[in-house]
Amino acid sequence: MKSDIVIRTNWTGDPDEQEALLKHEWLVTNGLGSYASGTISGVPTRRFHSFLTASLSDPQGRYVMLNQLSELVRFPDGSSQKIGGIELAGGALDLHGMSSLREFRLESGLPVWRYELAGHVIEKWILMPYMSNTVHVGYRLVSGTGPVRLKIRVAVHFRRHDASLNEGLPVESYDLQALAGRLEIHGLSIPPLRLYVNGENPAFTIETKRFSDILYRIEEQRGYEAQGNLWSPGYFRVDLAAGKDVTLIASAESWESILALSPAEAFQAELERRRRLLAAARPELDIGLAKQLVLAADQFIIAPIERIAETTRVRATGGDVRTIIAGYHWFTDWGRDTMISLEGLTLTTGRHIEAGHILRTFAHYLRDGLIPNMFPEGESEGVYYTADATLWFFHALDRYIEITGDRGMLKELLHKLLDIIDHHIQGTRFGIHRDADDGLLIQGDPRYALTWMDAKLGDWVVTPRRGKAVEINALWYNALRIMEKWMNEENQHSHAIEMAKFADAARLSFNQRFWNAQAGCLYDLVDGENGQDDPACRPNQLFSIALSYPVLDQEHWQAVFQTVKDKLLTPVGLRTLSPDHPDYKADYHGDLRTRDAAYHQGTVWPWLIGPYVDAWLRVYPEQRKDVRDFLDRLLERHLHEACIGSVSEVFDAEGLYAPRGCIAQAWSVAEILRSWVKVTEDHNRSE
């Protein structure tokens, strides 16, 4: 697969061009939650930017291990030129590599830089072998008289990837061991960083150096500690000649594992793995930028090896453990995000077996009728403060069974599903229970935000939504109807009748209570604080139309959809609050408190495109081409900005709709993928 995403550069020093190069980011992952990431300029702007952030066993979590590389090319005439860059506190921004960078592209989803230096063309690429805490940084002399001498200085500061820039060991406290061209850097109670260079005439020179007061500008903008130090033990030097690639290998694995494949074998293995991913995906995705989304989807599906006990238990039964990372860089696996993302990331991409592993993984952690809200970094047990993740579990399982026909999964989990329903009827944690008076689901705990609008800072719950939330009850009704269907299919008709009774009561009350005739849309919440109803116009009402079993009476579909379209739709997704609301915030920026105040108060979330498209096609099934055109414009606009080839977590609600938050978000990718397949499939059927 050749890339559909190419960014060409011709550095002039223009400030706007400089900003773009600092904002364009890349991401490479390995199926374990580990990653390498940075800007295409080579200047690290986040504390998360590194060439190797490794996922280590419980209780360590993910550690930054190889922070920075400084590269210098020396030519036969004795001249030299650096590539890359750095920014220091006080405004010293060094973009020494930009004058020679001509192109950045994704090739089979892997980042490739193309430099023109003194009559030579050099390409650099990065990959992480699948299921290995290892990174390969490769270099190739494409044209020019060689060999040239390549000098690669490594710099480190081991720390938890989400920790402060000054946590961990002081940068001079590392132990360096070198033997037969292999280098090990030891520090903290984690595996050593092992490095070596594969190429012509490699050598390592011990020349320790401290890099002080490095500025990470995005951390500064987000209100975090933004200055840090790195330590370098020295540098590798190696000849780079035509036809003979050079590869720097850095790893937290054993030497035996590192050396099991040559760099060329590892590269070909990864290309073959990616070719198979594309071949397994739905045929609707075998086109243009949709292919890139298939590769982007792969970055979120991981084996949580840090949860050793769970992995051992499941593998002993012949199964395997999989989960979904909610977003890079800082999220772990979240129940809600996983269940919403499951269809797009796995079922549209042909990864049905992994979808089953994911569902079983979360089913194992069911407690008191709830699946986990999330698993904290480096921990084996989840936390459960969520009212909707478990209801999304029904949706995900229903889509899985419909697409795969795996009735065995249903039989395996049926008793757990009945237990979930019973807990919701009788009452479970966090005030989650069915109101016997009207059959609607109510939830609320002053300590938590239990819906997907979950911003919380200290004791401040920004959007508490305690009461009967519109999407929670749409999901509740959907789950009951799904259970009714399954009970009938399994000849458990008494249970089916009971589910139908609960569903009928919920539907009747929903349409009586949530329809706001004056506004022509739905209340976001009824029976809220002090018994009040909340008329705020939010996208949550779409789920009353979009789910498999829509709870809203059809006579109101068009009005609700039109209101959402008029007030919330942007080119990159849906606003979380109408601009006419007094709490509306147009921009998502600043320190944590400022961002949390805007997180669900206007900020655009692209994952909501999924339910928007579902509702759109329900209301206007003849407008498939319009839906496809909308998705085309979104992909063309966004896959070339922010994290190249992926979809951001959120956007500003106005202006340029700047991408914000995580640079790559699972449900953003998943719901656009799912929508693409849905509209393309429907279009093909109509022809």
Side-chain angles (χ1 to χ4, degrees):
M1 170 193 170
K2 291 298 182 182
S3 177
D4 291 297
I5 300 182
V6 179
I7 296 174
R8 292 185 172 85
T9 63
N10 188 12
W11 177 246
T12 62
D14 179 82
D16 290 338
E17 183 183 17
Q18 173 180 298
E19 286 300 308
L21 290 168
L22 291 170
K23 289 179 179 178
H24 284 45
E25 298 181 59
W26 55 270
L27 174 70
V28 180
T29 65
N30 69 346
L32 298 174
S34 312
Y35 59 84
S37 182
T39 68
I40 67 172
S41 69
V43 175
T45 60
R46 302 180 187 267
R47 59 184 150 150
F48 301 96
H49 284 162
S50 75
F51 286 87
L52 177 60
T53 293
S55 183
L56 306 176
S57 298
D58 177 25
Q60 293 159 331
R62 286 176 286 184
Y63 267 77
V64 178
M65 298 194 70
L66 177 58
N67 301 65
Q68 181 73 342
L69 298 176
S70 302
E71 300 130 320
L72 181 143
V73 182
R74 190 174 300 280
F75 304 101
D77 64 1
S79 64
S80 63
Q81 190 167 344
K82 295 179 181 179
I83 59 178
I86 199 74
E87 184 169 14
L88 301 178
L93 176 61
D94 188 350
L95 289 168
H96 43 250
M98 290 305 94
S99 62
S100 57
L101 179 64
R102 293 294 174 264
E103 178 183 285
F104 173 88
R105 67 183 186 271
L106 294 184
E107 191 165 314
S108 296
L110 296 172
V112 180
W113 291 257
R114 187 179 183 91
Y115 294 94
E116 293 182 5
L117 309 107
H120 298 74
V121 176
I122 294 175
E123 289 193 341
K124 168 185 172 180
W125 68 91
I126 296 174
L127 71 85
M128 299 184 79
Y130 192 57
M131 294 291 176
S132 177
N133 279 311
T134 302
V135 66
H136 289 198
V137 184
Y139 304 85
R140 176 179 295 131
L141 181 61
V142 177
S143 66
T145 303
V148 298
R149 175 61 60 89
L150 179 62
K151 175 181 172 181
I152 309 170
R153 178 177 284 278
V154 298
V156 302
H157 176 207
F158 297 170
R159 56 174 171 79
R160 286 277 290 264
H161 79 135
D162 54 354
S164 161
L165 287 163
N166 287 317
E167 291 188 25
L169 280 178
V171 293
E172 295 88 353
S173 302
Y174 297 92
D175 179 36
L176 178 65
Q177 298 178 13
L179 178 65
R182 302 177 188 177
L183 186 71
E184 292 188 1
I185 302 175
H186 294 254
L188 301 175
S189 56
I190 62 174
L193 175 64
R194 296 184 169 98
L195 304 111
Y196 86 103
V197 165
N198 182 284
E200 292 288 304
N201 304 315
F204 182 78
T205 299
I206 298 176
E207 183 184 85
T208 61
K209 187 174 181 179
R210 176 188 176 101
F211 296 92
S212 300
D213 300 323
I214 298 171
L215 178 67
Y216 300 84
R217 58 166 55 196
I218 293 182
E219 301 305 316
E220 184 175 55
Q221 294 166 8
R222 290 168 61 87
Y224 297 114
E225 181 186 47
Q227 295 180 33
N229 305 316
L230 300 177
W231 176 77
S232 172
Y235 58 88
F236 291 97
R237 62 184 188 276
V238 62
D239 290 338
L240 182 59
K244 295 183 179 180
D245 295 349
V246 166
T247 305
L248 169 70
I249 299 175
S251 180
E253 307 289 350
S254 67
W255 281 114
E256 182 180 20
S257 174
I258 296 168
L259 300 174
L261 292 177
S262 70
E265 290 171 330
F267 187 78
Q268 290 304 315
E270 181 60 16
L271 291 183
E272 175 61 18
R273 191 184 74 84
R274 290 165 179 258
R275 186 196 67 77
R276 291 178 182 177
L277 290 175
L278 294 170
R282 291 284 296 268
E284 293 88 350
L285 297 171
D286 188 23
I287 182 172
L289 293 173
K291 286 184 178 181
Q292 178 54 44
L293 280 187
V294 173
L295 299 177
D298 175 62
Q299 297 178 325
F300 304 101
I301 303 169
I302 72 160
I305 59 167
E306 72 277 10
R307 302 204 284 267
I308 297 173
E310 179 192 3
T311 301
T312 303
R313 175 189 58 79
V314 173
R315 288 179 177 171
T317 66
D320 211 340
V321 180
R322 290 292 186 275
T323 190
I324 289 175
I325 286 280
Y328 291 95
H329 305 90
W330 49 83
F331 281 124
T332 59
D333 42 344
W334 287 61
R336 174 190 305 114
D337 302 53
T338 295
M339 297 308 140
I340 292 172
S341 300
L342 187 98
E343 182 175 358
L345 296 187
T346 64
L347 299 178
T348 68
T349 60
R351 302 176 73 161
H352 300 165
I353 293 174
E354 287 165 298
H357 291 332
I358 291 166
L359 290 167
R360 288 185 174 91
T361 294
F362 276 85
H364 170 70
Y365 286 96
L366 271 166
R367 305 286 188 272
D368 301 325
L370 301 174
I371 67 168
N373 185 44
M374 53 90 72
F375 290 88
E377 183 83 39
E379 297 185 18
S380 296
E381 289 297 325
V383 294
Y384 288 82
Y385 43 86
T386 172
D388 58 344
T390 312
L391 301 176
W392 278 112
F393 181 72
F394 285 87
H395 170 80
L397 182 59
D398 182 47
R399 300 302 299 142
Y400 169 81
I401 293 170
E402 181 173 325
I403 291 170
T404 67
D406 184 0
R407 305 296 299 183
M409 171 78 82
L410 178 60
K411 295 180 188 296
E412 176 186 335
L413 297 181
L414 205 54
H415 69 288
K416 292 189 174 184
L417 300 172
L418 287 168
D419 183 66
I420 291 171
I421 296 296
D422 186 60
H423 270 93
H424 281 68
I425 291 171
Q426 301 302 323
T428 185
R429 305 188 202 180
F430 314 114
I432 301 169
H433 66 280
R434 176 183 181 269
D435 186 334
D437 291 335
D438 60 12
L440 296 175
L441 207 63
I442 191 167
Q443 52 78 34
D445 185 316
R447 300 170 297 171
Y448 302 105
L450 300 176
T451 73
W452 82 273
M453 293 185 162
D454 57 358
K456 182 177 183 292
L457 186 64
D459 294 331
W460 178 36
V461 177
V462 182
T463 49
R465 304 183 73 227
R466 293 190 287 273
K468 296 168 183 172
V470 64
E471 82 281 9
I472 299 294
N473 280 282
L475 286 162
W476 171 236
Y477 175 79
N478 191 60
L480 290 169
R481 288 300 186 204
I482 289 170
M483 283 296 288
E484 178 191 1
K485 175 184 68 173
W486 286 338
M487 293 299 100
N488 278 320
E489 290 171 351
E490 295 300 314
N491 295 315
Q492 297 191 28
H493 300 299
S494 61
H495 282 309
I497 292 170
E498 185 179 33
M499 298 300 154
K501 180 186 70 173
F502 290 137
D504 289 343
R507 181 182 181 118
L508 178 64
S509 296
F510 185 95
N511 284 279
Q512 290 175 343
R513 300 294 312 283
F514 280 96
W515 174 243
N516 183 346
Q518 182 177 357
C521 61
L522 301 184
Y523 288 104
D524 188 58
L525 187 81
V526 299
D527 293 346
E529 301 288 332
N530 302 315
Q532 305 223 340
D533 302 338
D534 183 1
C537 179
R538 296 187 183 274
N540 305 311
Q541 60 191 301
L542 277 179
F543 293 103
S544 67
I545 306 172
L547 293 168
S548 298
Y549 295 92
V551 66
L552 182 64
D553 288 343
Q554 189 169 351
E555 64 187 90
H556 300 314
W557 288 3
Q558 186 173 358
V560 167
F561 177 78
Q562 194 63 44
T563 298
V564 169
K565 180 179 180 181
D566 291 345
K567 294 191 173 186
L568 304 180
L569 183 63
T570 76
V572 290
L574 298 183
R575 298 184 181 98
T576 42
L577 186 63
S578 172
D580 57 17
H581 195 282
D583 292 334
Y584 172 75
K585 305 287 192 304
D587 300 319
Y588 181 79
H589 69 279
D591 62 16
L592 181 58
R593 185 176 185 85
T594 304
R595 297 196 312 276
D596 276 352
Y599 205 31
H600 303 105
Q601 301 287 59
T603 297
V604 171
W605 290 73
W607 82 268
L608 294 167
I609 288 168
Y612 180 78
V613 166
D614 292 333
W616 189 350
L617 293 177
R618 274 232 166 94
V619 178
Y620 301 108
E622 73 281 1
Q623 294 185 7
R624 295 182 184 91
K625 184 180 184 302
D626 295 332
V627 179
R628 174 64 180 270
D629 289 345
F630 174 82
L631 294 174
D632 282 341
R633 290 192 297 270
L634 171 61
L635 292 182
E636 184 60 39
R637 170 197 179 105
H638 182 57
L639 293 192
H640 294 77
E641 65 176 355
C643 184
I644 308 301
S646 194
V647 186
S648 298
E649 178 189 11
V650 295
F651 295 80
D652 286 344
E654 294 180 10
L656 297 176
Y657 303 105
R660 307 287 189 185
C662 278
I663 65 170
Q665 194 78 0
W667 57 9
S668 300
V669 171
E671 284 295 86
I672 295 173
L673 262 177
R674 184 183 66 80
S675 298
W676 180 282
V677 168
K678 181 182 180 74
V679 70
T680 306
E681 177 185 56
D682 287 348
H683 177 70
N684 292 342
R685 283 176 180 169
S686 68
E687 291 182 336

